[in-house]
Amino acid sequence: MRVILVSRLPPAHCGIAEYTSMLAETLVRNLSDVELALIGTKVKEEVRHYVEPYSGLDVFQCFTEDGGYRGIIGCIEGLRVREDTVVHIQHDYDIFRNNAEFMEFLRGLKEGGLKIVVTLHTVAHALKDVEYVEFQRILSELVDVVIVHSMLQEYELIAQSADPRKITRIPHGTLLNPYINYSRSKLLRSLAIDVPEGLDKSILITVPGLIRPVKGLEFFIEAFKVVRRKYDVKFILVGSPQGQDFKYLQRLAPLFSKLEDVVFMNKFLWRNELLAYLASIDLAVFPYRDTAHYAVSGIFHLVIGSKKPPICTRIPKFVECYEIAPELTSPTNSPIDIAEKIEYVINNPRDVRDAVGKLWEYAVETSWESVALKHGELYAELVHP
């Protein structure tokens, strides 16, 4: 069986690139009957393909986010396409920005008789725009399977008249952190972070992942000021802006300059660095804004795979947190609500330990090995109905 994954891929600084890389690496490691090929966006100049650093597979650079999607068909034709070939596209509106051209690309694949799977990492809510409702409905008619990560995504598509028989729910995979029991100071020094004296005794809090406006860092900064007056806490932020979001970081700069007990490093973290970073902190906060999208957070899965307590806002992106550990969910992302929830975590270690235990069970249940097996079973059903 041959599976062609189409997505952004490392070295692109993108959560879905990391997701696809983890899926590819686990498929290669665990499913001997799956022959994998990777088709990605153009991220390296003057080369047709490059080696993806984690799976060791060649990535054929065939399209850009703004268009040229039919070029993917040419790349696929250049690979060994057989009757048992499945094309699995990792779709997000930031990766495939031209809806009309993407639909033409799908029609071209369909004309070639290929089995098509699309993972919708983002499902647009009906309130976003009628164009997206129509796009998602027609997409479900054209492809063989639509994968989503949450029940909210699944039922939103059904409410928009997508074909329920085409929709399957496979949870987002979780990487179980190998650095959980390592020394905090050693982990931080491995990231070239200057560890202030006494940092080991402080409560380290972060807002993890790529820096984007949706993450609501300004709300966390105000909440941190409140908590800092009562507790020995430090705000440690290591990350880089995504795409053009350096302007957002520039807007935050005056707030950072006036903040005490903060360690900030503008640095993109590669996978092992990110795992070391998450293993070193005590608490991860997600003060995200709500949007007209349904998605699931990859960095949330990395946090629970690191056995760390998350504080999540009550928005669709963190429905898993609310379902499993509602005590760690803040009703809004207002600084007062976030500060109260941080203080709850600090003051209730036994309850928080129980909540983290429930989330760890979910992390194990959604390990990449388990998720890759579900994908393998899906591919097999498509090519051998």
Side-chain angles (χ1 to χ4, degrees):
M1 176 168 53
R2 188 163 181 76
V3 177
I4 301 172
L5 293 180
V6 182
S7 178
R8 269 192 198 138
L9 286 151
H13 296 181
C14 166
I16 295 171
E18 286 294 312
Y19 173 98
T20 309
S21 171
M22 292 180 198
L23 175 60
E25 182 187 11
T26 315
L27 286 170
V28 166
R29 192 171 62 243
N30 290 279
L31 299 179
S32 59
D33 61 332
V34 173
E35 185 181 343
L36 209 59
L38 303 179
I39 288 179
T41 55
K42 296 177 180 178
V43 294
K44 292 201 172 193
E45 298 294 332
E46 300 177 354
V47 293
R48 181 168 176 262
H49 60 85
Y50 65 91
V51 176
E52 199 275 314
Y54 300 106
S55 66
L57 297 170
D58 280 345
V59 178
F60 294 87
Q61 303 183 108
C62 299
F63 68 104
T64 67
E65 284 87 350
D66 294 320
Y69 309 149
R70 287 195 70 92
I72 300 169
I73 297 176
C75 280
I76 291 172
E77 290 172 348
L79 300 169
R80 287 180 295 152
V81 176
R82 308 179 306 233
E83 289 185 358
D84 63 348
T85 295
V86 176
V87 178
H88 185 178
I89 304 160
Q90 307 294 324
H91 180 276
D92 184 80
Y93 289 105
D94 188 47
I95 298 176
F96 296 98
R97 298 170 186 168
N98 187 321
N99 288 351
E101 188 173 342
F102 184 80
M103 202 61 74
E104 287 305 307
F105 159 57
L106 288 184
R107 291 190 176 100
L109 287 179
K110 201 67 179 174
E111 288 167 5
L114 291 163
K115 299 291 185 183
I116 308 169
V117 177
V118 174
T119 294
L120 286 178
H121 287 268
T122 299
V123 172
H125 190 277
L127 292 176
K128 182 174 176 66
D129 194 287
V130 67
E131 171 197 346
Y132 293 89
V133 175
E134 187 70 358
F135 171 81
Q136 290 171 170
R137 183 187 64 78
I138 296 174
L139 181 146
S140 75
E141 293 175 355
L142 283 174
V143 306
D144 296 282
V145 177
V146 176
I147 296 175
V148 293
H149 297 315
S150 78
M151 187 180 295
L152 292 180
Q153 292 177 310
E154 181 179 355
Y155 279 89
E156 179 63 22
L157 288 176
I158 292 171
Q160 294 178 17
S161 300
D163 186 347
R165 293 166 296 188
K166 298 282 190 74
I167 303 168
T168 188
R169 179 160 33 102
I170 298 178
H172 193 296
T174 307
L175 186 56
L176 306 182
N177 195 328
Y179 301 118
I180 288 172
N181 296 316
Y182 280 51
S183 158
R184 168 187 286 176
S185 58
K186 288 182 179 178
L187 290 171
L188 293 176
R189 289 192 183 99
S190 75
L191 301 173
I193 295 174
D194 184 22
V195 181
E197 186 177 347
L199 190 66
D200 274 348
K201 299 177 182 178
S202 300
I203 299 168
L204 298 192
I205 309 175
T206 191
V207 179
L210 293 164
I211 296 171
R212 297 181 290 150
V214 72
K215 295 200 170 182
L217 270 163
E218 61 272 36
F219 303 117
F220 172 77
I221 289 171
E222 295 305 314
F224 180 76
K225 290 178 183 177
V226 173
V227 176
R228 183 184 162 276
R229 291 197 290 264
K230 304 177 188 178
Y231 302 94
D232 178 14
V233 293
K234 299 288 190 295
F235 175 25
I236 180 167
L237 181 65
V238 182
S240 64
Q242 183 172 23
Q244 300 300 310
D245 289 333
F246 64 91
K247 293 180 181 179
Y248 174 62
L249 186 57
Q250 289 176 328
R251 293 200 303 271
L252 292 175
L255 297 177
F256 279 122
S257 66
K258 298 175 183 177
L259 199 61
E260 295 184 47
D261 293 323
V262 60
V263 177
F264 171 63
M265 182 183 290
N266 183 357
K267 175 183 180 181
F268 177 78
L269 295 175
W270 298 103
R271 190 174 304 167
N272 282 342
E273 293 176 318
L274 179 57
L275 293 170
Y277 174 48
L278 294 177
S280 72
I281 56 98
D282 295 297
L283 175 61
V285 180
F286 297 97
Y288 282 45
R289 296 176 170 85
D290 197 4
T291 63
H293 297 119
Y294 289 142
V296 164
S297 170
I299 193 67
F300 165 78
H301 275 261
L302 286 171
V303 167
I304 65 173
S306 303
K307 283 191 176 180
K308 303 299 180 179
I311 290 176
C312 308
T313 44
R314 195 172 169 181
I315 63 173
K317 195 175 187 74
F318 298 104
V319 64
E320 296 160 302
C321 186
Y322 185 61
E323 287 177 332
I324 297 166
E327 61 269 43
L328 298 180
T329 299
S330 172
T332 76
N333 67 351
S334 77
I336 294 301
D337 286 341
I338 294 294
E340 285 182 358
K341 194 56 68 173
I342 293 172
E343 291 182 23
Y344 168 82
V345 170
I346 293 171
N347 293 324
N348 297 276
R350 181 178 296 177
D351 292 344
V352 171
R353 189 164 54 248
D354 290 344
V356 170
K358 290 185 291 184
L359 289 167
W360 173 252
E361 289 177 2
Y362 183 62
V364 173
E365 178 187 332
T366 59
S367 70
W368 274 111
E369 283 69 21
S370 172
V371 166
L373 181 61
K374 291 179 186 296
H375 279 81
E377 291 170 349
L378 175 64
Y379 301 147
E381 288 173 6
L382 275 179
V383 299
H384 303 296

